[in-house]
């Protein structure tokens, strides 16, 4: 049976558990999905330094899992260094095992979903991610300033990943919806990426914001792209096709 390893590079087990219903709902029953949580290190990855630190806590333990899995998903919404580092591992290179992150998967999926006249954008957590994810998207697209033609930008909630589940629900809902509405004002946005693994399952409040801002008909047309779903779907195809 094919096997995909979903890697949470922070050390909060509850965030890993929150990914499981999303993956199960895709019904890829001929593929086994296993999960890895960082054994130590940052509880929440709130900036690039946290992401870099998480590598030291994850990579030594991950190496023993590389042989028996066919694909790998890094479940942190950033240009996480584990993506290129795993691709450099000899067991992955020699067998052409696909590796992606939820950031890369969501951007790629959005570009395929939206109309050529539309843009995609990202809703994320703390304000620090506005510049980090903007730079990461431009680097990923390789288009420099031309990225603005397809990329509406990043709006943030001011909450970190753990706050999304620990803060009062109404506060989370308000901040999420406000960020989405600001993003939708930046042009003809056809897709909204959930810019944090901790936002898993929050599609409903994103949709509410789209409908409130754009009206029923247009608001329902906006695609909501969860990077975990996008990543698993891409890996499933890549593993099956032998890309």
């Amino acid at each position: 049976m094919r096997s995909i390893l979903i890697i949470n590079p922070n050390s909060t087990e509850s965030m890993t558990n929150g990914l499981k219903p999303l993956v199960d709902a895709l019904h890829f029953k001929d593929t086994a999905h296993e999960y890895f949580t960082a054994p130590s290190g940052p509880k929440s990855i709130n900036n690039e330094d946290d992401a870099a630190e998480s590598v030291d806590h994850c990579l030594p333990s991950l190496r023993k899992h590389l042989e028996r899995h066919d694909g790998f998903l890094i479940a942190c919404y950033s240009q996480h260094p584990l993506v290129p580092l795993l691709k450099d591992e000899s067991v992955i290179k020699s067998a052409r095992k696909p590796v992606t992150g939820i950031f890369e998967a969501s951007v790629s999926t959005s570009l395929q979903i939206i109309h050529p006249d539309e843009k995609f954008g990202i809703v994320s957590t703390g304000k620090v991610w506005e510049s980090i994810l903007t730079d990461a998207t431009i680097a990923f697209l390789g288009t420099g300033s031309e990225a603005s033609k397809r990329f509406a930008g990043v709006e943030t909630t001011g909450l970190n990943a753990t706050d999304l589940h620990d803060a009062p629900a109404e506060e989370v809902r308000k901040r999420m919806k406000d960020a989405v509405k600001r993003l939708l004002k930046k042009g003809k946005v056809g897709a909204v990426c959930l810019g944090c693994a901790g936002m898993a399952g929050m599609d409903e409040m994103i949709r509410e914001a789209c409908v409130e801002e754009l009206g029923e008909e247009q608001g329902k047309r906006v695609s909501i792209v969860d990077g975990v779903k996008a990543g698993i779907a891409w890996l499933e195809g890549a593993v099956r096709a032998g890309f």
Side-chain angles (χ1 to χ4, degrees):
M1 179 181 277
R2 291 178 295 272
S3 178
I4 291 172
L5 183 64
I6 297 133
I7 299 160
N8 173 14
N10 73 46
S11 57
T12 301
E13 188 80 31
S14 60
M15 284 197 204
T16 308
N17 293 335
L19 306 177
K20 294 177 181 179
L22 292 177
V23 175
D24 292 345
L26 295 174
H27 299 295
F28 292 139
K29 294 181 179 177
D30 293 332
T31 302
H33 299 98
E34 296 187 20
Y35 297 83
F36 173 94
T37 306
S40 56
K43 293 285 187 185
S44 173
I45 294 177
N46 299 320
N47 51 52
E48 290 174 304
D49 290 339
D50 289 345
E53 181 188 344
S54 71
V55 171
D56 296 330
H57 295 273
C58 291
L59 196 53
S61 299
L62 276 172
R63 286 194 170 108
K64 63 188 176 188
H65 297 287
L66 303 184
E67 186 73 48
R68 66 188 185 88
H69 294 289
D70 302 298
F72 304 86
L73 179 66
I74 314 304
C76 173
Y77 204 93
S78 67
Q79 200 170 31
H80 200 284
L82 272 176
V83 175
L85 286 171
L86 286 184
K87 288 182 177 184
D88 281 339
E89 291 287 317
S90 59
V91 66
I92 286 178
K93 284 200 292 189
S94 62
R96 298 197 322 276
K97 296 185 179 190
V99 179
T100 192
I102 59 174
F103 160 70
E104 292 86 351
S106 74
V107 171
S108 300
T109 299
S110 294
L111 287 171
Q112 294 180 83
I113 287 173
I114 61 176
H115 186 277
D117 293 337
E118 292 179 328
K119 301 181 180 184
F120 73 93
I122 300 168
V123 172
S124 191
T125 49
K127 190 170 181 63
V128 65
W129 289 108
E130 291 179 12
S131 59
I132 293 172
L133 289 175
T134 296
D135 291 346
T137 301
I138 291 170
F140 183 63
L141 296 177
T143 53
S145 61
E146 294 295 303
S148 61
K149 292 181 178 179
R150 308 305 306 278
F151 177 47
V154 182
E155 289 293 334
T156 53
T157 63
L159 302 169
N160 66 33
T162 51
D163 289 337
L164 292 171
H165 298 279
D166 296 341
E170 280 309 307
E171 178 70 10
V172 173
R173 179 175 289 272
K174 180 182 184 304
R175 291 192 182 217
M176 286 285 291
K177 289 173 70 173
D178 286 349
V180 172
K181 290 176 182 180
R182 291 195 303 273
L183 182 65
L184 294 174
K185 287 180 169 70
K186 291 186 169 182
K188 194 174 180 182
V189 176
V192 175
C193 297
L194 303 185
C196 176
M199 291 178 179
M202 295 186 175
D203 301 42
E204 181 188 346
M205 66 180 75
I206 305 294
R207 179 66 65 206
E208 279 183 19
C210 291
V211 169
E212 288 173 14
E213 181 66 24
L214 302 174
E216 185 83 13
E217 184 177 352
Q218 196 172 345
K220 286 186 174 179
R221 289 179 183 166
V222 176
S223 295
I224 300 166
V225 181
D226 184 300
V228 175
K229 292 180 182 178
I232 289 295
W234 182 80
L235 285 169
E236 180 75 16
V239 169
R240 284 176 181 250
F243 290 152

